[in-house]
Amino acid sequence: MTLTLHAASREALASAETRLAEVTGEAGADPAALGNELLAVVDLLGREIGLRRAVADASSDPEARTRLVRSLLTGKVSEQALRVLDAVVAARWSSPRELVDGVESLGRNALLTSAEKAGKLDAVEDQLFRIARIVVSNPELEQTLSDQTAPGDAKRRLVRELLQSKVDDVTLALVEQVVGRSTGRSVGFKLDELVQLAAQRRERSVAYVTSASELSAEQRERLAEQLRRIYGRPIGLHVEVDTRLGGGLIVRVGDEVIDGSTAGRIAELRRQLA
């Protein structure tokens, strides 16, 4: 997933990402705690319009913006989080919204870094995919979680009730953040963005596969290899079963769909005969 940012904001985010990498690479660093702190700051900036505008005001003194943030957050977040935020607020952002998006991206990446260091990135990616499929297949649940008028805390509580002790802590934190921040996108869409973000950490793309029946490990390996040859890069498979297909597969990579299902061929024949 790539954030849609203007040039100034892209440069600002790159600078902040460098600082984040420095901080998470230090001995004793806790990327998970750092990620949660940065996402808590996203919530704060989302609530406080005046603060959001003040820290993104490119016409003001960068040192003054840094002092403002430290005066508000010292003692409430770690020094590591403050150092990352120093880099964020000292840079020039194209808009307050893009600054908040940037801090959100940093928080998510810190959480995924913690999963990667713990050897759990595969599990987190798969859990995010499974949760996204559950949400998308349940319109009432997706509507509830995507409702921009509903309190974010209430939606987070619902997520904790559904997922706590069933998924990794990183997965839970990422899903809570997705449902808690209203951006106009559906929760299913935003969860799929997280799946892609996790995959990109290993420089691979994601293929969403819908199959009429379960695929064996050998079949998955063959399909992944075929897709790697087609797209010229490693492909991670996320497979769900839908017996309504009748047979075959539907594969989606990005905006491209390969429909090799019985239902897809019948639908195409009907279109040709219409």
Side-chain angles (χ1 to χ4, degrees):
M1 179 191 68
T2 303
L3 280 176
T4 303
L5 299 174
H6 292 87
S9 294
R10 288 198 300 271
E11 185 176 339
L13 180 59
S15 174
E17 286 174 337
T18 299
R19 179 66 58 83
L20 178 68
E22 292 172 356
V23 170
T24 56
E26 293 173 353
D30 185 347
L34 176 58
N36 282 315
E37 287 178 325
L38 292 172
L39 293 181
V41 172
V42 170
D43 290 341
L44 173 65
L45 293 172
R47 294 192 303 269
E48 301 294 338
I49 298 174
L51 176 61
R52 183 167 70 239
R53 290 174 177 169
V55 297
D57 183 3
S59 67
S60 65
D61 178 12
E63 291 186 5
R65 299 197 297 269
T66 300
R67 287 195 300 270
L68 171 62
V69 169
R70 281 187 169 264
S71 70
L72 291 172
L73 297 180
T74 295
K76 298 176 182 177
V77 299
S78 66
E79 177 60 26
Q80 289 75 24
L82 288 171
R83 285 167 54 199
V84 174
L85 293 169
D86 285 345
V88 170
V89 301
R92 293 178 63 91
W93 295 83
S94 300
S95 69
R97 175 61 179 268
E98 292 192 359
L99 181 147
V100 178
D101 287 345
V103 178
E104 178 182 66
S105 176
L106 295 168
R108 290 176 170 185
N109 274 301
L111 284 167
L112 290 173
T113 295
S114 74
E116 192 170 24
K117 287 187 173 184
K120 297 179 179 180
L121 191 55
D122 275 339
V124 167
E125 182 182 332
D126 186 65
Q127 288 168 2
L128 289 169
F129 169 75
R130 299 296 171 191
I131 294 166
R133 303 284 68 76
I134 291 170
V135 170
V136 170
S137 65
N138 188 326
E140 185 177 353
L141 176 61
E142 180 162 34
Q143 183 177 0
T144 298
L145 295 177
S146 302
D147 184 359
Q148 295 186 58
T149 65
D153 287 345
K155 291 188 287 185
R156 287 190 175 99
R157 283 196 299 273
L158 175 59
V159 165
R160 283 194 294 273
E161 290 171 3
L162 293 173
L163 299 179
Q164 201 159 36
S165 78
K166 298 177 183 177
V167 298
D168 189 87
D169 288 345
V170 168
T171 304
L172 181 60
L174 287 167
V175 176
E176 281 192 46
Q177 194 270 332
V178 159
V179 303
R181 187 182 178 207
S182 299
T183 61
R185 297 280 196 177
S186 71
V187 166
F189 178 90
K190 291 189 287 186
L191 288 171
D192 278 340
E193 283 188 328
L194 288 175
V195 174
Q196 295 171 45
L197 185 61
Q200 287 170 7
R201 296 186 70 85
R202 284 164 292 174
E203 299 183 345
R204 70 177 191 173
S205 295
V206 174
Y208 295 97
V209 180
T210 307
S211 173
S213 59
E214 288 286 351
L215 298 181
S216 67
E218 183 181 354
Q219 288 173 321
R220 287 173 182 250
E221 289 176 8
R222 286 204 308 268
L223 178 57
E225 177 59 22
Q226 290 170 348
L227 292 172
R228 186 194 65 77
R229 291 175 182 173
I230 292 171
Y231 292 99
R233 57 186 183 274
I235 302 289
L237 300 184
H238 288 292
V239 182
E240 61 178 329
V241 175
D242 186 345
T243 56
R244 293 172 298 179
L245 294 183
L249 303 169
I250 298 175
V251 180
R252 176 169 62 85
V253 179
D255 295 330
E256 185 172 350
V257 177
I258 304 169
D259 190 344
S261 68
T262 302
R265 291 193 292 271
I266 291 173
E268 178 60 26
L269 179 60
R270 285 174 177 165
R271 282 195 294 270
Q272 293 175 4
L273 294 175

